[in-house]
Amino acid sequence: MQYPEPIAKLIESYMKLPGIGGKTATRLAFFTIDMDEDDVTDFAKSLISAKRDLHYCSICGNITEEDPCQICSDPSRDQTKVIVVEEPKDVMSLEKMKEYHGLYHVLHGVLSPIEGKGPEDINITSLLTRLQTHPDMQEVIIATNATPEGEATSMYLSRLIKPAGIKVTRLAHGLAVGSDIEYADEMTLFKAIEGRTEI
Amino acid sequence: MYLESLTLRDYRNYEDLNVSFSPAINILLGENAQGKTNLLEAIYVLSMTRSHRTNNDKELIKWDKTAAIIQGRVNKQLGTVPLEIQVNSKGKKAKVNHLEQAKLSQYIGQFNVILFAPEDLALVKGAPAVRRRFVDMEFGQINARYLYNLGQYRTILKQRNQYLKQLQHKKNQDLVFLDVLSDQLAAFGAEIVHQRLIFLKQLEFWANQLQEEITQSAETLTFEYATHLEDAADQTIEQLYAQLQNDLKKATKKEIFQGTTLAGPHRDDVRFLINGKNVQTYGSQGQQRTTALSVKLAEIELMKEETGEYPVLLLDDVLSELDDMRQTHLLKTIQNKVQTFLTTPNLSGIARTLINEPKIFHINQGNLLEEEEHTVD
């Protein structure tokens, strides 16, 4: 016996999500049938609204409801600094810190030829135009992940940006705050010693 | 360090095994297909978390069972450490002192073994890739930084090769990014070459001492690190980095055409020379065998120097392949300092008089029987 069409379609839709295969999708689909109709309507609405009402900010590339985003349109933020991150969720993490009041730029990925991502496939061109059109920009802080790809991306950006006379910095590597040295692995310790500071 | 005892549950053809070993020499005696090598493999897995015979961990589980457990008590200078490896269909867990380790890399290094199997003769005769893997495996086991550099280098190499292939089809080539990848590759590459040279120098010292003993000073064994980098041995990391960077730059056109990276330690080789002549091409069978033996045994001393303790030696069916002279030297090197496990189908080819009080186990279809009295025949 085959599944009735509405269920089959629902299963197929769930399977498009990352990390969900046939079995999980079937389980979710049958669960959805048993849910309250209000809940299902809300769920459907949030799916559509997430897609329709969210855009990428035309300046920084972050996700936003209105364009330009809140951060880009806030004149009280420090217009001389910009942090470059891989993904929108990195902006959220940095904002939680509440200590940084400059701007952001989201690359939507890192340079990784294996995944088919070259310099023209991530949000680099718009960063360069942004720097050209804002002469008061003084520092670009690169906050890509500490992976070989994140490292390559940061080196690439610094080569493009530095000739324009703008300061390029990179986040520090080392021990996590509140962690024990005992539990740190050898490479983290090595990086921490390399990047030690005078007190 | 030595292995005090071993417990196996549903591992290959062992259902439930509990055995204590001698800190000196343990002989595993048995017909073919009784589980001699399986036992050595279990000790190897306890050290390296993976088998030397297969990449598929599920093969380690006894037929029709769901999980295999290997437990061992390792005696070290600072006390005894219980180690455990669990393999099931979902993956494996490694425990030190009953605590699960989040990363396998944190586990490796707790218990060091060196395995010498008949295949190891390929170390001298085989392709350069065999020697590179030997160097990488051995140095990685004793130096975490080398292992890290190697991992980073491999990732960057993959990225760079892929980018070179993509550049073949592109009209406006972004060579700045290729340059960045070259710099990254050169930075890790230079460190790898530098570390390899240091380790090889140490290994050469011990290997040559053994070679001279075995051949009664007739042969001098030297290593030569074959690389396109000039005077690599006398250069600092910075100089090696500059050279590698330069070599990559010069090769760019050809690299894009071929779609692969043409310079770097992933193309280097190690040559073994006896009295200045390459053993691979000019050495006799016997010389090749002696060289492989010297290089492997040299590792024992190198590991002692780097980690402060002797590793455990696993000899899979090799003793009978060596003549009396070589056996004597092998036994002289390990006697009274290195715990050794050796497998053999019979004792006839073994110079048993040379072995002080061995513990002999008869293996029969996954069961171990310890020989009570051993008389020299």
Side-chain angles (χ1 to χ4, degrees):
Chain A
M1 203 194 109
Q2 279 187 325
Y3 287 124
E5 202 190 310
I7 295 196
K9 274 193 174 163
L10 189 56
I11 293 175
E12 213 181 286
S13 305
Y14 276 129
M15 277 172 70
K16 286 181 182 152
L17 301 177
I20 294 186
K23 274 188 185 164
T24 312
T26 313
R27 204 163 55 100
L28 291 176
F30 278 98
F31 184 81
T32 313
I33 298 169
D34 292 336
M35 277 164 69
D36 283 345
E37 190 168 339
D38 289 349
D39 286 344
V40 176
T41 320
D42 276 352
F43 185 26
K45 274 189 189 152
S46 18
L47 277 178
I48 294 172
S49 125
K51 188 70 203 166
R52 280 205 194 131
D53 304 339
L54 280 185
H55 311 278
Y56 291 124
C57 171
S58 58
I59 300 173
C60 69
N62 196 9
I63 41 167
T64 172
E65 275 182 90
E66 64 247 32
D67 190 20
C69 72
Q70 269 182 10
I71 296 173
C72 290
S73 49
D74 182 352
S76 74
R77 294 196 75 114
D78 182 353
Q79 305 288 323
T80 64
K81 287 188 185 67
V82 61
I83 292 190
V84 179
V85 295
E86 289 180 21
E87 301 294 339
K89 53 180 198 274
D90 299 333
V91 175
M92 303 301 163
S93 305
L94 287 161
E95 275 299 277
K96 263 193 246 156
M97 173 179 68
K98 294 200 172 77
E99 284 296 322
Y100 173 75
H101 303 293
L103 304 170
Y104 292 96
H105 194 87
V106 184
L107 293 176
H108 293 283
V110 273
L111 295 175
S112 172
I114 293 175
E115 288 159 49
K117 287 199 169 158
E120 61 281 359
D121 301 305
I122 60 174
N123 215 359
I124 289 178
T125 330
S126 68
L127 174 65
L128 299 179
T129 2
R130 202 173 163 192
L131 295 176
Q132 275 163 3
T133 47
H134 290 80
D136 40 351
M137 199 67 87
Q138 287 164 9
E139 183 176 355
V140 176
I141 303 162
I142 303 180
T144 49
N145 293 334
T147 55
E149 291 81 13
E151 228 39 70
T153 310
S154 74
M155 281 163 74
Y156 180 74
L157 287 175
S158 89
R159 289 214 187 167
L160 297 184
I161 298 167
K162 260 198 181 154
I166 300 170
K167 189 167 149 193
V168 182
T169 51
R170 177 93 175 100
L171 292 193
H173 300 288
L175 292 176
V177 174
S179 67
D180 280 9
I181 286 187
E182 186 189 350
Y183 296 119
D185 64 274
E186 289 94 337
M187 274 330 289
T188 306
L189 287 173
F190 177 72
K191 286 278 176 199
I193 289 174
E194 223 179 24
R196 68 188 183 276
T197 48
E198 200 178 324
I199 49 172
Chain B
M1 65 175 71
Y2 69 91
L3 187 61
E4 284 181 1
S5 63
L6 183 75
T7 303
L8 299 180
R9 204 155 310 136
D10 295 332
Y11 181 88
R12 295 253 193 204
N13 66 335
Y14 292 93
E15 197 172 303
D16 197 1
L17 179 79
N18 215 324
V19 58
S20 310
F21 296 117
S22 149
I25 291 178
N26 297 278
I27 299 178
L28 308 173
L29 197 63
E31 299 287 311
N32 286 330
Q34 301 300 319
K36 299 189 297 284
T37 302
N38 285 352
L39 196 66
L40 277 198
E41 184 192 38
I43 298 172
Y44 189 86
V45 175
L46 192 65
S47 164
M48 305 291 282
T49 74
R50 52 183 210 84
S51 165
H52 63 287
R53 291 199 288 179
T54 173
N55 287 324
N56 184 1
D57 290 330
K58 282 176 205 151
E59 286 177 26
L60 305 180
I61 306 170
K62 189 171 161 58
W63 179 249
D64 77 22
K65 289 291 179 354
T66 51
I69 297 176
I70 310 171
Q71 289 168 330
R73 291 182 66 83
V74 176
N75 189 306
K76 297 210 253 189
Q77 276 162 8
L78 299 172
T80 321
V81 191
L83 297 177
E84 180 175 331
I85 300 278
Q86 281 185 28
V87 186
N88 59 33
S89 54
K90 288 197 187 108
K92 56 192 161 191
K93 281 183 197 162
K95 292 184 187 173
V96 178
N97 202 6
H98 310 292
L99 298 171
E100 189 178 337
Q101 304 294 302
K103 284 191 210 152
L104 291 179
S105 61
Q106 285 171 351
Y107 177 90
I108 298 172
Q110 290 287 338
F111 170 46
N112 295 320
V113 301
I114 286 172
L115 173 81
F116 192 31
E119 305 90 272
D120 283 314
L121 296 174
L123 187 62
V124 176
K125 284 192 267 186
V130 178
R131 285 180 287 279
R132 279 196 299 269
R133 201 179 54 218
F134 164 77
V135 165
D136 291 345
M137 287 275 296
E138 302 313 330
F139 298 167
Q141 212 184 135
I142 51 179
N143 190 303
R145 186 133 172 249
Y146 184 79
L147 206 59
Y148 170 80
N149 286 339
L150 203 65
Q152 300 284 305
Y153 184 84
R154 285 186 183 147
T155 315
I156 299 161
L157 182 66
K158 244 195 254 169
Q159 294 282 13
R160 191 171 185 272
N161 284 343
Q162 192 60 39
Y163 195 61
L164 285 168
K165 284 195 188 84
Q166 287 166 8
L167 284 177
Q168 295 174 337
H169 312 291
K170 273 191 191 145
K171 278 182 218 107
N172 46 351
Q173 299 179 331
D174 188 344
L175 294 179
V176 180
F177 183 45
L178 185 66
D179 233 31
V180 166
L181 289 174
S182 305
D183 284 0
Q184 263 191 314
L185 196 75
F188 286 107
E191 284 210 41
I192 289 173
V193 172
H194 190 74
Q195 282 180 308
R196 276 186 187 169
L197 284 163
I198 292 172
F199 285 131
L200 281 173
K201 211 73 239 139
Q202 289 173 300
L203 196 66
E204 180 187 49
F205 171 78
W206 296 110
N208 181 40
Q209 231 172 37
L210 290 159
Q211 186 90 9
E212 284 188 346
E213 269 176 43
I214 299 174
T215 61
Q216 283 146 349
S217 302
E219 293 175 0
T220 309
L221 177 64
T222 46
F223 296 173
E224 197 180 271
Y225 186 66
T227 170
H228 56 90
L229 300 171
E230 279 166 43
D231 302 326
D234 306 320
Q235 306 235 304
T236 61
I237 294 183
E238 289 73 31
Q239 286 169 318
L240 290 170
Y241 171 66
Q243 260 202 64
L244 195 47
Q245 230 179 355
N246 198 27
D247 284 356
L248 287 167
K249 206 160 260 159
K250 270 192 288 186
T252 303
K253 253 197 186 143
K254 211 170 150 195
E255 285 189 320
I256 295 174
F257 180 70
Q258 297 193 6
T260 186
T261 301
L262 296 173
H266 64 290
R267 297 174 74 92
D268 293 348
D269 192 3
V270 180
R271 291 193 196 112
F272 302 115
L273 311 175
I274 285 182
N275 298 337
K277 284 196 187 108
N278 192 343
V279 191
Q280 194 187 5
T281 29
Y282 301 109
S284 71
Q285 286 270 4
Q287 281 177 319
Q288 290 179 347
R289 200 165 281 184
T290 315
T291 306
L293 184 67
S294 301
V295 173
K296 271 281 174 179
L297 291 182
E299 260 183 78
I300 296 177
E301 297 296 338
L302 180 62
M303 225 178 241
K304 155 87 174 157
E305 204 173 80
E306 291 285 319
T307 66
E309 296 204 56
Y310 281 112
V312 169
L313 183 66
L314 309 175
L315 300 174
D316 192 4
D317 244 348
V318 282
L319 212 51
S320 50
E321 295 226 358
L322 303 173
D323 59 31
D324 277 0
M325 169 88 107
R326 295 201 187 95
Q327 277 193 29
T328 313
H329 279 282
L330 172 67
L331 294 167
K332 224 174 84 187
T333 318
I334 59 183
Q335 200 82 270
N336 303 325
K337 42 183 192 187
V338 184
Q339 187 190 28
T340 305
F341 293 85
L342 57 96
T343 68
T344 180
N346 53 59
L347 288 170
S348 64
I350 292 171
R352 221 174 127 187
T353 40
L354 289 166
I355 304 176
N356 294 336
E357 296 176 21
K359 217 170 180 181
I360 299 176
F361 298 92
H362 290 270
I363 300 188
N364 190 8
Q365 305 216 329
N367 289 309
L368 246 67
L369 196 72
E370 197 186 326
E371 192 170 290
E372 295 288 326
E373 273 302 303
H374 38 261
T375 43
V376 178
D377 22 58

